[in-house]
Amino acid sequence: MGQQEHGISDGLYTYKHHHDGGADIHVIFVKKSKFRVLLSYIGTMFLLVTVCCALLSKDSLCLGSLWSISFASIIAKCLRCGPVKKESLVIMPTFGVQLEQHFWSGRVHRKFVPIGKILKPVLNEHVTPVSCYWSLALLLREEYELMLVFKNLNPPVKMLVPIWKALCAFVDSNTLSDSALPQST
Amino acid sequence: MWAAAVFSDIMDEQGTKHRILMVSDFFFPNFGGVESHIYYLSQCLLKLGHKVVVMTHAYGNRSGVRYVTNGLKVYYVPWRPFLMQNTLPTLFLTFPIVRTIIVREKIYVVHGHQAFSTLCHEALMHARTMGYKVVFTDHSLYGFADAGSIHMNKVLQFTLADIDQAICVSHTSKENTVLRSGISPEKVFMVPNAVDTAMFTPSPKRLSCDEIVIVVISRLVYRKGADLLVEVIPEVCRLFPKVRFIVGGDGPKRVRLEEMREKFSLQDRVEMLGAVPHAQVRSVLISGHIFLNSSLTEAFCIAILEAASCGLLTVSTRVGGVPEVLPDDMIVLAEPAPGDMVRAAKKAIDMLPGIDPQIMHLRISYLRILGSKTVLPSYDHQLPTMAPFRIHTAFVLIHIQGIPQHFLWKLPVSEL
């Protein structure tokens, strides 16, 4: 049975948190406005027109046409709407966590991580040549790479902090329960 | 009342804590004078309660955010260096990351270091474009005639046209920077570099003068006078049979020194150590009596300060800001010519019996600013040699804050 949900919202993302049947569910939605859909169509049309003009023109393909196709591709990529509708994290006490990606097409991709495999959830700062952003990742036992909780979305840190705290509480409670178990002789 | 104590009191009364971004292509793990300066300055600022963030380019696999001592946050931005540890100059492509860092860290003051750093120039330009306070510290001297210097001076004129303040490490460096950049001299302050005398202490046991050891520690490149060493060392070894050399450092000119050793059969009198980690510099210095510096150009030369702190008598070329660093009884200066260097070495050897390393170390720790000599003021018995960093910072922050000028006239400093 679902409990009252509460959330945080900013320009692009909405964060909602609720409980359902004992599981702790954290969901981040992508806001899809008509304006963004229109921009993505404009970007796609711009790319198609540029490619058609380059191919149908009487002149052969030159550096200028290649540059214009590349530029139109970049514009289309920047304006496009992402395929992901929402990403969620479901914390199932004593079992593990489930990472879900819901796409606008209706497809859902799920990945379950058992509790024993999670070493620690971390808030990681990524630095790229042009930006710097926070992400939530899981440190896994016997794995070299981090597992990103939200693979396609870049929610702000104010949305990641409550999810990280919930994950830490979940991992710590499991660690405490393991240590409280009687040692076998 | 010492300068930094006054400034510290002023700042404490106001309770203003600043957020400063240090930008340079040169930071740890790359090692050098600029890198150490940025690190120690940042540590002093953190001790004063300000927030400091350092921005540099990635070094190999070291990319992303790192936290070093006392919570100093370092952004290793994944822009690969293209020439002599400098980021590829793109003029505008660094703007997104500079703006992102400034906004997310709520930076108020951007402090760039080193005229040769392209990342520094771009960051200063972008910061000024966004209306932030900007300070620039120049650590080196540059010429006016060669193609590289002409281009760099043009860039410097552009970058420094609108900065709030500039800092140079010696009077000579100030004159050089003002002439190259065309900046107003009133905007340029001279604050000398400092040395941590707690790290550079002399040997507890005084070395015997039966065999005199001359230590050379520098990068073996043209600019540091490695070619001069090739001429000086054999002549000194010929004139003084009881002298031997220890040469630390590496570089493209090392081959010439090795050839010199072979040619004059000096393998038992000239010891080549190769690259010396900074943590081991002191142990190399205290094994010698005299420190030899043959640089062809130096804005300040922190190496001779470290050597003097370890109790070594210094022989150095009279170039750039070197004459301003040490008192006359701690350094023997010579023209950058082999004959004059050999004469200076002879004079230093004759002076050696009168040199007490412990007294020299104490003097370095507690020297004052006197006349035209810019030696280190000291006021804090716990960190005596960190005072210049605090003055450096205090000048910068207070002039940006616009604190009334009359406070500055009460202070016993030679130049503000």
Side-chain angles (χ1 to χ4, degrees):
Chain A
M1 180 178 240
Q3 294 188 4
Q4 187 178 4
E5 61 182 38
H6 49 273
I8 308 167
S9 183
D10 77 344
L12 189 59
Y13 301 107
T14 302
Y15 162 66
K16 287 189 180 160
H17 170 222
H18 63 277
H19 297 270
D20 191 0
D24 192 14
I25 302 173
H26 302 264
V27 188
I28 293 188
F29 296 90
V30 177
K31 290 182 187 173
K32 190 170 185 181
S33 66
K34 290 178 183 174
F35 182 65
R36 283 186 59 82
V37 174
L38 181 64
L39 279 180
S40 69
Y41 283 137
I42 290 171
T44 310
M45 287 301 299
F46 180 59
L47 175 62
L48 284 173
V49 165
T50 308
V51 171
C52 290
C53 285
L55 292 175
L56 296 175
S57 66
K58 291 179 183 175
D59 300 329
S60 60
L61 283 177
C62 61
L63 191 62
S65 53
L66 287 173
W67 186 90
S68 60
I69 291 172
S70 306
F71 179 70
S73 308
I74 292 169
I75 297 292
K77 188 176 185 308
C78 291
L79 293 179
R80 73 178 175 92
C81 289
V84 175
K85 178 182 167 186
K86 67 175 182 179
E87 288 197 71
S88 62
L89 173 78
V90 182
I91 300 174
M92 302 171 209
T94 72
F95 285 113
V97 300
Q98 178 154 293
L99 311 176
E100 296 180 356
Q101 290 175 302
H102 298 252
F103 296 86
W104 291 108
S105 59
R107 186 166 63 94
V108 181
H109 179 258
R110 294 184 176 89
K111 184 176 176 64
F112 178 74
V113 183
I115 181 62
K117 207 162 162 58
I118 301 174
L119 182 60
K120 195 85 178 163
V122 290
L123 281 171
N124 203 21
E125 271 188 287
H126 288 256
V127 181
T128 70
V130 293
S131 72
C132 183
Y133 58 91
W134 291 93
S135 68
L136 180 59
L138 298 174
L139 272 172
L140 302 176
R141 295 180 195 278
E142 296 170 10
E143 294 261 350
Y144 180 71
E145 289 188 0
L146 297 173
M147 177 183 284
L148 289 175
V149 173
F150 301 108
K151 290 184 178 48
N152 292 92
L153 305 182
N154 282 332
V157 68
K158 62 180 179 183
M159 294 183 187
L160 295 177
V161 168
I163 306 173
W164 172 74
K165 285 181 179 174
L167 275 170
C168 285
F170 172 62
V171 171
D172 291 342
S173 65
N174 185 70
T175 309
L176 280 171
S177 60
D178 282 348
S179 61
L181 286 173
Q183 300 289 330
S184 58
T185 55
Chain B
M1 183 183 289
W2 292 105
V6 172
F7 291 147
S8 179
D9 290 341
I10 292 168
M11 289 159 68
D12 287 341
E13 283 169 11
Q14 295 195 339
T16 309
K17 300 298 180 190
H18 296 289
R19 303 172 79 87
I20 302 149
L21 176 68
M22 303 279 184
V23 185
S24 181
D25 275 304
F26 310 104
F27 195 67
F28 299 146
N30 197 47
F31 189 77
V34 177
E35 294 84 344
S36 305
H37 173 98
I38 297 172
Y39 174 75
Y40 283 120
L41 180 60
S42 304
Q43 293 298 321
C44 287
L45 285 164
L46 288 170
K47 275 191 170 53
L48 287 173
H50 303 290
K51 176 177 166 140
V52 184
V53 176
V54 178
M55 177 181 165
T56 183
H57 65 74
Y59 286 88
N61 289 334
R62 187 179 290 221
S63 175
V65 175
R66 299 287 179 109
Y67 289 87
V68 295
T69 316
N70 291 327
L72 175 62
K73 189 172 183 181
V74 185
Y75 281 86
Y76 289 97
V77 179
W79 283 89
R80 293 292 173 187
F82 86 112
L83 178 67
M84 294 172 67
Q85 291 297 338
N86 274 300
T87 313
L88 180 70
T90 56
L91 205 61
F92 292 113
L93 290 185
T94 48
F95 180 69
I97 186 63
V98 169
R99 180 184 177 276
T100 301
I101 291 173
I102 288 176
V103 169
R104 80 201 306 263
E105 301 292 342
K106 300 184 182 61
I107 297 296
Y108 176 70
V109 178
V110 177
H111 190 166
H113 291 265
Q114 189 62 316
F116 199 64
S117 167
T118 51
L119 187 64
C120 163
H121 287 294
E122 292 189 11
L124 294 185
M125 183 183 72
H126 298 320
R128 203 63 204 109
T129 304
M130 292 188 283
Y132 290 98
K133 299 292 185 184
V134 158
V135 182
F136 173 72
T137 295
D138 199 355
H139 292 265
S140 298
L141 300 174
Y142 291 98
F144 297 84
D146 56 294
S149 295
I150 290 171
H151 288 299
M152 185 190 304
N153 294 343
K154 287 290 180 194
V155 171
L156 203 63
Q157 286 172 16
F158 181 76
T159 309
L160 301 192
D162 195 28
I163 60 165
D164 292 281
Q165 308 293 345
I167 298 169
C168 292
V169 295
S170 62
H171 295 285
T172 309
S173 176
K174 175 178 174 176
E175 187 182 350
N176 185 258
T177 300
V178 166
L179 288 173
R180 283 188 295 128
S181 65
I183 190 175
S184 167
E186 286 78 28
K187 275 192 182 180
V188 185
F189 295 90
M190 196 288 294
V191 182
N193 281 330
V195 65
D196 187 356
T197 50
M199 272 184 63
F200 292 94
T201 54
S203 172
K205 190 178 166 189
R206 192 163 175 176
L207 294 175
S208 162
C209 286
D210 293 336
E211 184 185 54
I212 294 174
V213 180
I214 299 180
V215 177
V216 178
I217 297 184
S218 77
R219 285 180 294 134
L220 301 178
V221 295
Y222 167 75
R223 198 179 163 89
K224 295 294 181 183
D227 295 308
L228 207 53
L229 279 180
V230 172
E231 306 288 330
V232 168
I233 291 176
E235 190 60 20
V236 170
C237 288
R238 184 183 71 83
L239 289 173
F240 306 102
K242 61 176 183 174
V243 167
R244 69 179 181 91
F245 282 82
I246 296 176
V247 179
D250 205 350
K253 294 288 183 178
R254 184 175 175 177
V255 173
R256 285 207 68 195
L257 283 162
E258 298 278 6
E259 287 172 352
M260 176 268 299
R261 277 176 82 204
E262 296 291 328
K263 183 178 174 184
F264 293 95
S265 305
L266 294 173
Q267 291 87 344
D268 57 337
R269 296 184 67 187
V270 178
E271 186 182 351
M272 304 285 293
L273 300 178
V276 178
H278 191 248
Q280 294 172 19
V281 164
R282 185 240 171 204
S283 60
V284 175
L285 287 172
I286 61 173
S287 63
H289 300 82
I290 295 172
F291 182 79
L292 178 62
N293 174 55
S294 57
S295 297
L296 301 181
T297 175
E298 284 283 1
F300 184 82
C301 199
I302 194 75
I304 62 176
L305 211 52
E306 292 171 352
S309 181
C310 288
L312 277 72
L313 180 62
T314 302
V315 174
S316 176
T317 45
R318 186 185 286 112
V319 292
V322 170
E324 303 174 33
V325 178
L326 290 175
D328 294 330
D329 57 337
M330 290 187 184
I331 187 168
V332 181
L333 295 169
E335 297 303 319
D340 214 32
M341 294 282 293
V342 173
R343 271 192 293 277
K346 180 183 183 311
K347 185 178 174 187
I349 292 169
D350 293 337
M351 285 169 67
L352 261 184
I355 298 293
D356 187 334
Q358 298 293 341
I359 294 175
M360 190 180 283
H361 172 77
L362 284 172
R363 287 180 64 194
I364 291 291
S365 300
Y366 294 102
L367 284 174
R368 295 178 169 209
I369 293 177
L370 296 168
S372 63
K373 286 288 185 185
T374 55
V375 290
L376 307 171
S378 173
Y379 71 101
D380 185 342
H381 66 279
Q382 289 175 346
L383 287 173
T385 50
M386 291 301 179
F389 289 115
R390 296 179 59 163
I391 296 176
H392 180 122
T393 310
F395 283 152
V396 162
L397 297 176
I398 283 172
H399 280 274
I400 285 175
Q401 282 179 303
I403 288 182
Q405 296 286 319
H406 68 264
F407 276 116
L408 306 176
W409 293 107
K410 295 181 181 177
L411 308 168
V413 292
S414 64
E415 179 174 316
L416 298 174

